């Protein structure tokens, strides 16, 4: 099976795990974290060109920590797309706030700025743009909207480590940016994450939130939880950081080759290919096509899996607002919540038409030919 994503664990990662075990360093409850957590933070800081990085134990925890550090609380509304992994919305609920869903655009599936403007109310406290598939959101336009209303931007960059917007790393535009190192991501520690910020006082707060609100010991000053990244996970992630550029290069090479191989079916308008622009450069976390015709996608996905063992995958169907829990809570919510789930036509369209194809670094050129031939055969 050619899987949609696969962690690339080498000898260096294994050696670093053994070193951590030899040091008896499983985790650290120190305010600044253990040695390997600090090394990982410093490598990310250099790579992203950001002042502060606070490693966290997952992308979900990173989003929750960011919302808590931004003082988002009960009664606040947070604007976010429904076309995302459910963690984005769940962390808003866990922080006590109300998620308000915004539609996405149909060309790169990131937040639609005109719908965003329409959904701002007096209660809007934060916007969480998601750089879905590694496609950067329209950060200039979002920043313009947020600036006028003094709303915090917390980027969900869980899928976009290495993607850039006007040559600047995604995750570094808002007051905070959140990353995930889950096993499928471009850089992994199995489970893991980070929040990045250029604001020193927010970074201090994040370190407290990650560690039960403590500073010097049992002196809880604000609400926090145990969101610490274990040293063993940091050992893997910091070793992966050394190979990050190479891994992203291989993704790019594979994306470009796949585009060449399937451009004929795109030229006759049967599928829409993912396209970078000058200002938006992708990390190619996912290579996501869309079928122009209705009711084709699911059969094609099944055929590719059964006939050719290709793990083409749908991200996301259903979108968050159509999951049972969100249907239940949004249906009985405030009028702004109800209106935020009724008119999401592009989200509904995308959830029924997109399909992501494998291009991770371990897919060989022969593997890509298999993917392309399988797709064309199924069409
Ligand atoms: C867009 C998005 N947000 C949030 C998350 C949550 O990250 P994690 O799985 O590390 O908790 C993920 C990844 O799984 C994601 O893809």
């Amino acid at each position: 099976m050619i899987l949609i994503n696969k962690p690339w664990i080498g000898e260096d990662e294994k050696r670093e795990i053994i070193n951590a075990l030899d040091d008896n360093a499983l985790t650290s409850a120190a305010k600044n974290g253990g040695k390997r957590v600090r090394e990982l933070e410093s490598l990310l800081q250099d790579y992203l060109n950001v002042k502060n990085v606070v490693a966290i134990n997952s992308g979900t925890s990173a989003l929750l920590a960011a919302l808590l550090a931004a003082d988002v609380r009960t009664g606040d509304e947070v604007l976010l797309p429904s076309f995302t992994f459910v963690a984005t919305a769940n962390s808003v609920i866990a922080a006590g706030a109300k998620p308000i869903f915004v539609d996405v655009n149909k060309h790169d599936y990131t937040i639609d700025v005109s719908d965003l403007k329409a959904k701002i109310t007096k209660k809007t406290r934060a916007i969480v743009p998601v750089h879905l598939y590694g496609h950067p959101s329209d950060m200039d336009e979002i920043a313009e909207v947020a600036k006028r209303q003094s709303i915090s931007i917390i980027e969900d960059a869980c899928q976009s480590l290495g993607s850039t917007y006007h040559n600047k790393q995604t995750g570094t535009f808002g007051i905070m940016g959140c990353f995930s190192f889950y096993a499928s991501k471009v850089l992994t520690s199995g489970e893991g994450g980070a929040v990045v910020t250029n604001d020193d006082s927010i970074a201090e707060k994040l370190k407290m939130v990650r560690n039960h609100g403590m500073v010097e010991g049992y002196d809880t000053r604000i609400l926090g939880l145990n969101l610490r990244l274990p040293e063993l996970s940091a050992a893997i992630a910091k070793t992966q950081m050394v190979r990050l550029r190479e891994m992203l290069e291989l993704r790019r090479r594979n994306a470009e080759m796949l585009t060449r191989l399937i451009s004929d079916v795109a030229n006759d308008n049967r599928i829409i290919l993912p396209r970078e622009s000058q200002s938006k450069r992708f990390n190619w976390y996912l290579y996501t096509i869309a079928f122009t015709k209705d009711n084709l996608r699911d059969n094609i996905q099944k055929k590719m899996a059964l006939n050719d063992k290709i793990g083409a995958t749908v991200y996301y169907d259903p979108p968050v607002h159509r999951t049972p829990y969100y249907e239940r809570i949004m249906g009985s919510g405030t009028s702004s919540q109800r209106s935020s789930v009724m008119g999401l036509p592009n989200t509904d369209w995308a959830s029924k038409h997109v399909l992501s194809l494998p291009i991770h670094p371990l897919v060989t050129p022969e593997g890509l030919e298999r993917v392309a031939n399988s797709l064309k055969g199924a069409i």
Side-chain angles (χ1 to χ4, degrees):
M1 189 83 177
I2 301 184
L3 299 171
I4 188 67
N5 256 315
K6 194 172 170 183
W8 182 2
I9 301 297
E11 290 308 311
D12 292 345
E13 282 86 343
K14 291 179 197 164
R15 201 171 311 119
E16 223 7 76
I17 285 280
I18 300 290
N19 289 343
L21 290 173
D22 284 345
D23 291 353
N24 219 354
L26 301 184
T27 192
S28 168
K31 176 171 171 261
N32 291 324
K35 178 175 153 227
R36 289 168 181 83
V37 160
R38 293 196 308 276
E39 277 173 29
L40 169 65
E41 290 175 344
S42 147
L43 288 166
L44 275 165
Q45 205 177 318
D46 287 348
Y47 180 77
L48 295 171
N49 195 18
V50 70
K51 267 178 92 182
N52 303 281
V53 176
V54 179
I56 300 277
N57 61 11
S58 73
T60 309
S61 301
L63 286 160
L64 176 61
L67 291 160
L68 293 177
D71 286 327
V72 170
R73 59 186 60 164
T74 310
D76 291 339
E77 293 184 347
V78 176
L79 302 186
L80 73 159
S82 163
F83 199 49
T84 179
F85 180 54
V86 72
T88 321
N90 285 350
S91 56
V92 173
I93 304 247
K98 288 195 177 101
I100 302 292
F101 292 121
V102 179
D103 210 2
V104 290
N105 65 57
K106 262 171 97 171
H107 53 271
D108 61 19
Y109 316 108
T110 62
I111 213 160
D112 178 87
V113 178
S114 57
D115 195 38
L116 179 74
K117 281 186 198 155
K119 285 182 175 150
I120 291 202
T121 71
K122 284 203 201 83
K123 292 184 180 169
T124 310
R125 188 73 184 72
I127 301 170
V128 184
V130 179
H131 306 303
L132 195 74
Y133 309 145
H135 300 174
S137 308
D138 294 309
M139 293 314 297
D140 282 347
E141 291 81 352
I142 295 168
E144 191 55 40
V145 175
K147 192 171 76 189
R148 266 187 275 133
Q149 322 272 346
S150 65
I151 294 167
S152 303
I153 298 175
I154 295 170
E155 295 173 73
D156 181 338
C158 285
Q159 300 189 358
S160 70
L161 178 61
S163 298
T164 58
Y165 178 78
H166 290 295
N167 298 320
K168 189 171 144 133
Q169 291 285 333
T170 54
T172 65
F173 289 84
I175 181 73
M176 284 170 268
C178 303
F179 292 89
S180 163
F181 308 138
Y182 175 65
S184 69
K185 298 297 193 270
V186 297
L187 179 136
T188 186
S189 54
E191 302 282 1
V195 185
V196 309
T197 180
N198 283 311
D199 183 317
D200 295 342
S201 65
I202 295 258
E204 282 304 299
K205 216 164 161 190
L206 284 166
K207 286 183 186 171
M208 291 164 74
V209 170
R210 143 174 102 175
N211 207 9
H212 289 296
M214 303 186 295
V215 178
E216 283 164 6
Y218 300 116
D219 60 342
T220 297
R221 301 177 191 196
I222 58 171
L223 176 66
L225 294 156
N226 173 2
L227 306 178
R228 299 184 299 264
L229 182 71
E231 281 289 285
L232 285 178
S233 308
I236 304 176
K238 79 161 185 110
T239 312
Q240 294 246 304
M241 273 308 291
V242 178
R243 282 213 314 279
L244 180 61
R245 283 191 173 82
E246 183 196 353
M247 294 194 290
L248 293 178
E249 260 317 302
L250 286 170
R251 283 181 181 273
R252 171 166 298 281
R253 181 204 70 181
N254 283 353
E256 286 169 0
M257 180 170 170
L258 188 58
T259 294
R260 281 195 299 278
L261 293 172
I262 61 176
S263 56
D264 48 344
V265 270
N267 288 341
D268 61 18
N269 283 334
R270 283 190 276 185
I271 59 170
I272 304 162
L273 298 182
R275 285 222 183 282
E276 292 182 299
S277 65
Q278 275 227 308
S279 58
K280 294 182 174 192
R281 305 284 286 168
F282 302 167
N283 66 352
W284 292 107
Y285 169 57
L286 288 169
Y287 187 103
T288 305
I289 61 168
F291 294 92
T292 47
K293 278 209 190 107
D294 296 341
N295 304 321
L296 259 187
R297 195 264 321 270
D298 292 353
N299 278 337
I300 287 178
Q301 183 195 11
K302 270 184 216 134
K303 274 193 188 166
M304 290 178 75
L306 287 175
N307 300 349
D308 305 312
K309 306 251 174 303
I310 307 294
T313 306
V314 176
Y315 301 99
Y316 292 93
D317 184 15
V320 178
H321 74 287
R322 297 213 180 270
T323 60
Y325 172 67
Y326 281 90
E327 278 194 333
R328 203 163 64 238
I329 63 160
M330 303 303 272
S332 58
T334 60
S335 65
S336 51
Q337 270 185 306
R338 278 196 304 280
S339 79
S340 86
V341 295
M342 287 186 306
L344 300 173
N346 294 344
T347 298
D348 284 330
W349 182 88
S351 74
K352 292 291 169 207
H353 291 80
V354 294
L355 186 66
S356 299
L357 306 173
I359 53 156
H360 62 79
L362 300 174
V363 184
T364 59
E366 297 71 43
L368 289 172
E369 284 186 16
R370 257 180 70 196
V371 173
N373 291 338
S374 170
L375 174 72
K376 291 184 198 181
I379 288 177

